């Protein structure tokens, strides 16, 4: 248990600190904070519950279900990631095409890195679920920020659309189920939200008649970062290229 405590504490702490940092950077309001932390904690709770309950309540003749996995693809990919992490092979072996569990290899390499460096002695699938929950929280925050810029103003849409969009992404049932499994979808959806945020920021920077930046306690608006949009777009595309190169292209 000390190794598990260390692995989960380190990843949970890093995820919580970084999610809070992203919220501060975009100056998320109460709705954004609530949606982001709900998305993160809901996925952790549901993921933990499924790992405990599926072996008892799942299909008895389904090997993946009996092992605590919601999807067969997730079980195959995660087991191969653990085998790779436990071997002497380099992590980039995930991209060789010899492992059938991941078509592109990106998520398998990330999962294997988590296991090799945070949990070398024990297979802990919840580490990947924790990372997916963090990705979902970041995606919710940046979707809210993109919608806030897109519907900028004090009218009804400007006040409601960002929060509604964030809560839909946080609570939509299929998104939650995908987010509690070792699948590419939670990371890909978060990366798409990051790309959308970057494109909206870039577009607003190019508007000749754009609205003035919102004020902040430091006196500097969020729009005062000219390269933030390009950095976000690059990060989103880089993540997509790692997970699903055709989607990134």
């Amino acid at each position: 248990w000390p190794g598990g405590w260390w692995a989960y504490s380190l990843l949970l702490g890093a995820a919580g600190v970084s999610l809070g940092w992203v919220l501060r950077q975009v100056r998320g309001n109460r709705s954004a904070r609530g949606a982001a932390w709900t998305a993160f904690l809901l996925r952790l709770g549901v993921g933990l519950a499924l790992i405990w309950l599926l072996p008892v309540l799942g299909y008895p003749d389904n090997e993946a279900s009996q092992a605590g996995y919601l999807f067969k693809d997730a079980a195959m990919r995660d087991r191969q990631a653990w085998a790779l992490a436990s071997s002497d092979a380099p992590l980039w072996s995930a991209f060789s095409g010899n492992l059938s569990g991941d078509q592109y290899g990106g998520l398998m390499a990330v999962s294997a890195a988590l296991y090799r460096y945070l949990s070398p002695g024990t297979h802990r699938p919840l580490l990947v679920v924790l990372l997916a929950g963090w990705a979902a929280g970041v995606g919710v925050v940046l979707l809210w920020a993109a919608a806030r810029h897109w519907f900028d103003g004090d009218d009804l849409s400007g006040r409601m659309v960002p929060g509604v969009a964030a809560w839909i992404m946080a609570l939509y049932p299929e998104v939650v189920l995908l987010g509690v499994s070792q699948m590419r979808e939670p990371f890909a959806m978060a990366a798409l939200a990051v790309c959308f945020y970057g494109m909206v920021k870039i577009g607003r920077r190019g508007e000749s008649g754009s609205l003035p930046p919102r004020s902040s306690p430091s006196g500097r608006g969020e729009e005062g970062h000219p390269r933030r949009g390009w950095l976000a777009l690059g990060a989103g595309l880089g993540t997509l290229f790692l997970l699903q190169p055709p989607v990134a292209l």
Side-chain angles (χ1 to χ4, degrees):
W1 69 264
W5 180 88
W6 165 254
Y8 287 121
S9 297
L10 184 63
L11 190 59
L12 186 62
V17 169
S18 58
L19 182 56
W21 179 82
V22 173
L23 278 164
R24 289 193 299 272
Q25 291 300 305
V26 300
R27 296 196 307 282
N29 61 13
R30 180 179 297 180
S31 180
R33 294 194 300 270
W37 288 111
T38 297
F40 181 33
L41 297 176
L42 176 64
R43 283 153 179 78
L44 290 187
V46 174
L48 184 60
L50 288 175
I51 287 177
W52 284 345
L53 295 176
L54 280 175
V56 179
L57 303 178
Y59 295 105
D61 57 346
N62 188 309
E63 184 179 353
S65 177
Q66 289 301 300
Y69 293 95
L70 196 59
F71 301 105
K72 181 179 178 180
D73 291 349
M76 183 185 302
R77 177 185 297 109
D78 194 58
R79 287 173 173 174
Q80 290 185 0
W82 170 245
L84 175 60
S86 304
S87 70
D88 295 329
L91 294 178
W92 58 80
S93 301
F95 301 96
S96 64
N98 298 324
L99 300 175
S100 58
D102 194 342
Q103 183 179 5
Y104 304 110
L107 182 56
M108 185 179 295
V110 172
S111 303
L114 280 178
Y115 296 145
R116 177 172 292 184
Y117 298 114
L118 287 183
S119 182
T122 305
H123 185 198
R124 295 185 171 93
L126 194 62
L127 287 172
V128 181
V129 175
L130 198 162
L131 190 65
W134 166 81
V138 172
V140 166
V141 173
L142 294 184
L143 178 65
W144 173 87
R148 187 190 65 168
H149 288 300
W150 194 288
F151 295 93
D152 204 344
D154 293 329
D155 57 358
L156 184 62
S157 62
R159 293 193 301 270
M160 292 190 61
V161 170
V164 171
W167 280 104
I168 288 176
M169 186 174 180
L171 299 178
Y172 192 76
E174 185 177 3
V175 177
V176 173
L177 288 179
L178 289 170
V180 299
S181 63
Q182 294 75 8
M183 302 286 282
R184 286 189 298 263
E185 281 76 5
F187 301 99
M189 284 185 284
L192 288 171
V194 175
C195 290
F196 183 40
Y197 170 77
M199 289 190 291
V200 170
K201 291 279 289 183
I202 293 168
R204 284 181 58 86
R205 292 293 304 177
E207 292 175 0
S208 59
S210 60
L211 293 172
R214 289 178 173 82
S215 59
S216 66
S218 63
R220 186 176 183 182
E222 188 193 346
E223 296 291 338
H225 301 275
R227 288 179 291 184
R228 181 175 292 179
W230 289 107
L231 290 174
L233 183 59
L237 287 175
T239 302
L240 280 176
F241 189 80
L242 178 67
L243 298 173
Q244 293 176 299
V247 176
L249 294 174

